[in-house]
Amino acid sequence: MKEWLRVFRAGLSIDNPLTVLMIGLCATLAVSSQVEGSLFMGIAVIFVLVMSNALISVLRKLIPSQVRIPIFIVIIASFVTVVDLFLKAFFPPIYAVLGIWIPLIVVNCIILGRAEAFAYHNKVWLSVADGLGMGVGFSLVLVGLAFIREFFGAGKIELLGATILKMPTGYAPPTILMMFPGAFILFGFVVAFVRWLNERSTDRKVA
Amino acid sequence: MKSNALRLIIPVVLTCMAAAAGLSATYTITAPLIAAQDKAAEEAALKSVLPEADAFEAVDAAMLASAQEAVGDSKVSAIYRALDGNGELIGWGLKVGSRGYGGYVDMVWGLDRDGKVTDLTILTMNETPGLGTRIKTEPGFLEQYRGLPGGFTEKDVKKLDMISGATKSSRAVRNSGIAVSVVYEAVLKAAGEVR
């Protein structure tokens, strides 16, 4: 259980896919302009990541290493398509928000990266922990980034059709935050902040 | 050597077969639901562009085919006659798809009896969120098409504004409008349906 927690927490902090491993950035920069889209993207990624990690870990002894990448891709693409069809059939409003980003989870390198780096070499329950940790770590940073971008870049936060937070009137939002250059700059600050946090906590452990 | 190749091929083939089975199962479950939702969305869109209509009646396949032929590049996927409570023709609803940045942008247009654009709406699109999707969210963009008079032409449509930064997506709406003008001119008018 201890090891399970350790693996899960690594995804949130010292091995966070976005701020430390720096993978899956293209989808992040694109989706993080809206909190709503980011939230659902996070949930979809967590699902796909846990499922593909679990399945690949179960099959890891049967998959020859020479052909592992094609097999990983087929497994991941299948799960993503399942998510795509299910969202379309049962949650059309959410599908309308996410639209084009769902199929793009296939090429999100976090999922292939974790299959290759973790699930292929570890036990099933640890792979599930890794998938959950990485997925939640990804979602937290994504939603945080989206919150800052939408709140300061658009002046309000909208969730499920309702405005839940609004800047005072007269606030002129800097549009650069909504565009990719602004996302890059902001992301740089977030990375610096998280690294500072991580370093501080490891320093304390050593001392 | 032969057995070695087989050792590699068999797992790949098995994985693909299992994936195909899983996907076709999912598809079988979800396809009717997705189709029903598309149908409901289309009906809601028709209602919203032609609020005075009580019923919509699809035109026959030959008419639809001739409309498609006249339009060329865009996709005319449905033409409906809008009928009021007495069964009187009060306008038309057209479902037109035009190529945007991320595939087709499907739109529903409403025309009144004189061919004036009553309203228009975007049914489905896969445009880039925050950029291409501004064709739906930008205030005043779709509105400028509203009220185009009967018999409007390509020239009238091209006078309308585009959204900078979303050129390809705006062009999808523009081409959709041009397609509607062509269908009106070449099909509805030619069939003597216009007053």
Side-chain angles (χ1 to χ4, degrees), chain A residues 128-141:
Chain A
V128 170
D130 181 71
L132 265 182
M134 286 287 160
V136 174
F138 169 78
S139 310
L140 284 180
V141 176

Side-chain angles (χ1 to χ4, degrees), chain B residues 50-127:
Chain B
L50 289 159
E52 276 149 40
D54 270 353
F56 295 95
E57 171 194 280
V59 302
D60 57 53
M63 195 162 169
L64 193 60
S66 66
Q68 180 60 65
E69 205 171 301
V71 163
D73 226 16
S74 296
K75 217 171 47 179
V76 184
S77 38
I79 302 177
Y80 294 95
R81 286 191 194 93
L83 308 172
D84 68 5
N86 305 323
E88 285 284 314
L89 180 66
I90 57 164
W92 297 270
L94 288 89
K95 190 179 160 200
V96 182
S98 291
R99 217 183 279 277
Y101 189 74
Y104 279 93
V105 175
D106 276 325
M107 300 186 62
V108 170
W109 295 70
L111 298 179
D112 71 7
R113 198 62 217 276
D114 304 310
K116 193 180 103 185
V117 177
T118 53
D119 206 352
L120 64 160
T121 181
I122 293 171
L123 200 55
T124 53
M125 61 173 166
N126 279 323
E127 301 304 287

